[in-house]
Amino acid sequence: MKLNLGCGTDYKEGYVNVDQGECRCDVKHNLESFPWPFEDSSADEMWFQHIFEHFSPANFLNIVREIYRVSKNGATVTLISPHAGSDNYWTDPTHQMPLTARTFDFFDRAKPLFENGKIYGWDDVNFSVEAQVIPNAPNGPDVAHRLTVNK
């Protein structure tokens, strides 16, 4: 199963499109309500495009754990959000969760920040993380994360 989470107006054929708003989607669900309505280890792929920055920081870890729970081993998770330092992030008053290229390093055992993740009790989640800052003129840069789920 492929999930397009927080799809908004970006309905993707071949995906289960999920949103809580008044838009075309296959499943109406608030992604900050747990658990998500999907079985454990059922998703091969997840897509978050310009939605993660709208989540409350208080729900960050719960969302990360839901991503991990719902994903199969080897699943890929793509997240694209405004970079925390961009005008695009700070201009929109609905943005709550800033992301940088290192945000998910706490969950990657090969990254130095994983040691902090262990201290915080986050070592129950294991991703391989790739991230890059990408241009998004005229709004300022975005950050793209590609997480590979390791179970």
Side-chain angles (χ1 to χ4, degrees), residues 2-141:
K2 298 191 300 187
L3 297 171
N4 181 18
L5 297 157
C7 65
T9 59
D10 185 26
Y11 188 92
K12 293 185 182 304
E13 295 296 334
Y15 286 74
V16 176
N17 295 273
V18 181
D19 205 293
Q20 70 176 359
E22 295 303 316
C23 57
R24 180 181 174 204
C25 62
D26 305 306
V27 175
K28 287 259 187 221
H29 184 74
N30 177 349
L31 295 171
E32 292 188 273
S33 177
F34 312 103
W36 293 350
F38 305 105
E39 297 294 321
D40 294 0
S41 299
S42 59
D44 299 295
E45 182 181 329
M46 290 187 193
W47 182 263
F48 295 85
Q49 184 165 345
H50 288 276
I51 184 64
F52 224 89
E53 67 273 17
H54 295 278
F55 295 140
S56 166
N59 285 324
F60 174 75
L61 186 55
N62 290 327
I63 292 167
V64 168
R65 285 188 168 134
E66 279 300 284
I67 291 169
Y68 192 75
R69 179 188 70 78
V70 171
S71 295
K72 293 179 181 178
N73 183 45
T76 58
V77 180
T78 302
L79 299 101
I80 300 172
S81 296
H83 187 275
S86 75
D87 285 345
N88 195 26
Y89 177 78
W90 292 105
T91 300
D92 188 334
T94 67
H95 290 174
Q96 301 181 63
M97 182 67 210
L99 289 102
T100 72
R102 297 179 64 203
T103 299
F104 292 94
D105 286 4
F106 291 89
F107 307 100
D108 185 333
R109 294 177 182 186
K111 309 266 180 165
L113 282 177
F114 180 76
E115 292 303 313
N116 291 20
K118 282 175 32 181
I119 293 167
Y120 301 150
W122 297 354
D123 56 339
D124 57 335
V125 174
N126 183 9
F127 298 127
S128 296
V129 177
E130 297 174 37
Q132 64 179 344
V133 176
I134 53 176
N136 182 14
N139 299 315

